[in-house]
Amino acid sequence: MICSYCGTEGLKESCSFCGASLNIKRPLLKEFVVLEDVEKPFNELVCFHTYDLLVLLRLVRKERTKAYDLMLTLKKAGKSPQIEQAMVNYSENLYESYTKRMKLV
């Protein structure tokens, strides 16, 4: 058998070079990854290819940055009567949610 991770040949159960089990199928690349994939549970994210996870991480980090910028803008403008505390809380929760999802990926 050939290791699908490092390409070492002549193996039976596990790779002598990288230690990968040859009985486990390696995840395949998806055609595309969308931001909504970050909402999937951990046991589904484990089945994603490494490249797909990197793309997903980039998408989540971009949205997290937007949420952070919104949160800062609302906090700065929070002293004005037009900005409600609910909007500030929403932006904080959004930022926190994207931070947790980013760490999960």
Side-chain angles (χ1 to χ4, degrees):
M1 256 182 147
I2 299 174
C3 178
S4 63
Y5 291 95
C6 67
T8 304
E9 296 182 18
L11 305 170
K12 293 185 179 175
E13 291 181 21
S14 67
C15 180
S16 58
F17 179 77
C18 68
S21 175
L22 302 179
N23 299 328
I24 299 174
K25 271 199 145 177
R26 187 174 184 179
L28 300 176
L29 280 170
K30 297 186 179 306
E31 190 172 325
F32 58 90
V33 178
V34 293
L35 183 61
E36 287 75 27
D37 287 337
V38 79
E39 300 295 330
K40 292 186 177 184
F42 178 76
N43 59 351
E44 288 184 38
L45 289 174
V46 169
C47 300
F48 277 44
H49 190 276
T50 304
Y51 182 78
D52 292 332
L53 288 172
L54 287 171
V55 170
L56 188 58
L57 181 61
R58 185 190 60 163
L59 294 172
V60 172
R61 290 181 74 184
K62 186 176 181 178
E63 291 301 314
R64 180 178 176 256
T65 300
K66 288 180 189 177
Y68 181 76
D69 292 342
L70 174 65
M71 181 179 70
L72 285 183
T73 303
L74 290 174
K75 282 186 175 184
K76 286 179 184 177
K79 297 176 180 114
S80 71
Q82 292 86 3
I83 302 297
E84 295 181 22
Q85 186 60 35
M87 292 172 63
V88 175
N89 291 343
Y90 171 76
S91 66
E92 289 173 347
N93 291 338
L94 189 64
Y95 175 73
E96 183 181 328
S97 173
Y98 280 127
T99 301
K100 288 179 181 180
R101 289 293 174 179
M102 181 189 72
K103 290 178 180 180
L104 181 65
V105 172

